[in-house]
Amino acid sequence: MKKIFFLTIFASLLISCKSTRVGSTSNVQVRFLDDFNIEDGLKVRDTEVGGLSGIDYHDGIFYMVSDHPSNPRIYVAEMEFSEEKIDTVAITDVIPLDKQDENLKDQHLDLESILFEPENKNFLLSSEGNINSNKDPMLLKVSKKGNFVSSFALPENLLAESVKKPRNNGTLEGLAASFDGKGVWAAMELPLVTDGPKPKLYPTKSPVRITYFDKKTQTATKQFPYRLERIAKIPWLYFAVNGVTDLLEYAPNKFLILERGFAAGHGQKGNTVRIFDVDATLATNTLDINNLRVSFNNPAKKTLLYDFKWAKDFLSQEIIDNIEGITFGPTLPNGNQSLILISDNNFNSMGQQLNQVILLEYIPKI
């Protein structure tokens, strides 16, 4: 009897060890492969590489956006992979946005996500604006040289002076190209004040709005609610947050959604980063619903796909940093798709942080 008990424990340990690399749902599977830290303090064309809050990939090239309002910019990079490792990350160029343009000079460009449009070589960018200073969020398009092209019309409830009260540093965050290529999804980081509270240590109904914009009309045509997880770590100091930082649509109405939490007082180990497999097929269209606290709405269904605490022993410094961006990357040598994630080091303004690049293997099951 004791021998059987021992074998059961041993088998459970083997399964547990394996689960630290692999996450799976009925739709998708991901496997942690490697991480790589871009040199701290690296400068390209007299700009410090940091604040990397969004990433996109096309035809061998990566594009990363920096959330530096006084000098908004896009970094161009190449990465070399060897089997299941990241060999190098080379920042090859920087594209500054033309802040003197009439459409941008009075804006607060806190850039959070980026999509490259191969058909016209433009970039779509999200900006959180600055709610406290009555500076609106933006979904804007710029050229390959950083010149303003156009901006999308945002729903009224996302604007700085809206009575629905968007939260400062909690507005437009993630961007995802729609699966059919005809539109773009834009995710709020935190709920509107009138929709619900910010996440707490205990479970709350904290819905963020994820909005679909038609690329031709540059207007919003639908929206669904997505409920955030609670704070995962006890904050030993005054600050804790959890919100959406980025997303990908991998099939019609099915998403990988990245949530990033932070609890102060844990030093470099205060971050909680999770990827959820999300199905919005039956979610309520909330575009014309003013208040999610009092109006019935059916949120998107979510299943935990990967928690980066599972990869702790495989990370180069046993730290998952402030991960804010995710993109489908190049095909791996085994023929499977890669996922690349990037962290925002906040220019080390909040203590020592990493410009961390994460490599995952992505295997769809549908």
Side-chain angles (χ1 to χ4, degrees):
M1 194 71 179
K2 289 181 180 179
K3 186 175 183 181
I4 294 173
F5 181 67
F6 173 78
L7 288 173
T8 302
I9 292 176
F10 183 68
S12 297
L13 287 173
L14 286 177
I15 293 170
S16 175
C17 289
K18 183 179 180 181
S19 71
T20 56
R21 276 197 185 271
V22 178
S24 186
T25 69
S26 59
N27 294 329
V28 295
Q29 176 180 301
V30 297
R31 183 166 65 104
F32 175 85
L33 298 180
D34 194 24
D35 74 327
F36 182 98
N37 299 319
I38 299 172
E39 176 188 348
D40 190 38
L42 175 67
K43 290 195 173 183
V44 177
R45 287 178 54 184
D46 298 322
T47 67
E48 181 180 346
V49 176
L52 303 176
S53 55
I55 186 169
D56 199 18
Y57 171 82
H58 177 71
D59 198 20
I61 304 295
F62 290 88
Y63 303 98
M64 301 177 288
V65 68
S66 177
D67 63 351
H68 192 181
S70 63
N71 184 13
R73 55 194 183 271
I74 297 165
Y75 285 103
V76 182
E78 296 179 8
M79 299 185 193
E80 292 186 7
F81 304 90
S82 175
E83 295 300 325
E84 297 182 347
K85 296 289 184 182
I86 305 172
D87 281 346
T88 59
V89 178
I91 311 295
T92 59
D93 201 5
V94 59
I95 303 170
L97 267 63
D98 180 13
K99 277 278 289 177
Q100 300 309 309
D101 187 280
E102 289 294 322
N103 297 282
L104 299 181
K105 66 180 182 181
D106 293 327
Q107 301 294 333
H108 184 89
L109 294 180
D110 184 359
L111 303 177
E112 297 294 343
S113 195
I114 181 169
L115 293 176
F116 177 72
E117 295 187 311
E119 67 271 20
N120 52 34
K121 300 190 184 331
N122 289 329
F123 298 100
L124 286 177
L125 306 171
S126 64
S127 168
E128 287 197 301
N130 188 302
I131 303 303
N132 290 344
S133 300
N134 289 326
K135 298 293 186 180
D136 289 332
M138 290 187 74
L139 176 53
L140 66 152
K141 183 179 293 190
V142 300
S143 72
K144 61 182 179 181
K145 294 184 177 180
N147 298 316
F148 177 85
V149 175
S150 63
S151 61
F152 288 55
L154 299 186
E156 184 277 334
N157 55 23
L158 305 189
L159 301 180
E161 295 185 348
S162 170
V163 295
K164 309 304 181 295
K165 298 182 179 178
R167 287 181 161 93
N168 191 65
N169 202 33
T171 62
L172 288 187
E173 185 78 14
L175 291 181
S178 65
F179 187 74
D180 63 8
K182 296 179 180 179
V184 57
W185 294 94
M188 299 280 283
E189 180 178 0
L190 295 172
L192 301 171
V193 172
T194 54
D195 282 345
K198 292 188 291 185
K200 311 292 184 186
L201 279 169
Y202 52 86
T204 58
K205 290 184 179 180
S206 299
V208 297
R209 295 174 184 249
I210 298 180
T211 307
Y212 176 86
F213 291 85
D214 182 275
K215 289 174 70 172
K216 284 186 177 180
T217 64
Q218 297 192 337
T219 58
T221 60
K222 56 186 175 182
Q223 184 183 81
F224 68 86
Y226 169 86
R227 288 184 182 171
L228 297 168
E229 297 296 293
R230 65 178 182 87
I231 301 295
K233 296 182 179 181
I234 297 173
W236 301 120
L237 297 176
Y238 68 94
F239 180 73
V241 69
N242 183 59
V244 171
T245 59
D246 211 353
L247 72 167
L248 295 168
E249 187 177 19
Y250 69 84
N253 293 310
K254 291 182 171 58
F255 301 84
L256 302 181
I257 293 187
L258 187 64
E259 288 190 41
R260 181 278 329 272
F262 176 76
H266 295 268
Q268 286 184 286
K269 298 184 178 181
N271 292 297
T272 300
V273 179
R274 292 168 284 196
I275 302 174
F276 291 88
D277 181 11
V278 176
D279 187 345
T281 304
L282 301 178
T284 304
N285 184 352
T286 56
L287 191 60
D288 296 322
I289 296 179
N290 287 327
N291 190 324
L292 301 186
R293 287 181 191 255
V294 299
S295 299
F296 170 80
N297 64 87
N298 187 36
K301 293 175 61 177
K302 61 189 294 192
T303 304
L304 178 63
L305 173 62
Y306 202 83
D307 188 328
F308 279 91
K309 70 181 181 182
W310 301 342
K312 173 180 174 294
D313 293 340
F314 304 106
L315 293 162
S316 59
Q317 297 190 34
E318 297 192 354
I319 295 167
I320 187 68
D321 216 298
N322 181 31
I323 302 295
E324 292 203 1
I326 185 171
T327 185
F328 288 112
T331 302
L332 296 168
N334 65 8
N336 290 331
Q337 185 87 47
S338 67
L339 286 173
I340 308 294
L341 294 83
I342 191 76
S343 75
D344 174 358
N345 73 342
N346 292 305
F347 295 99
N348 295 311
S349 62
M350 302 172 66
Q352 186 64 36
Q353 290 187 256
L354 306 173
N355 284 321
Q356 187 176 37
V357 182
I358 302 286
L359 172 64
L360 301 178
E361 179 183 32
Y362 169 78
I363 304 172
K365 297 180 180 180
I366 58 173

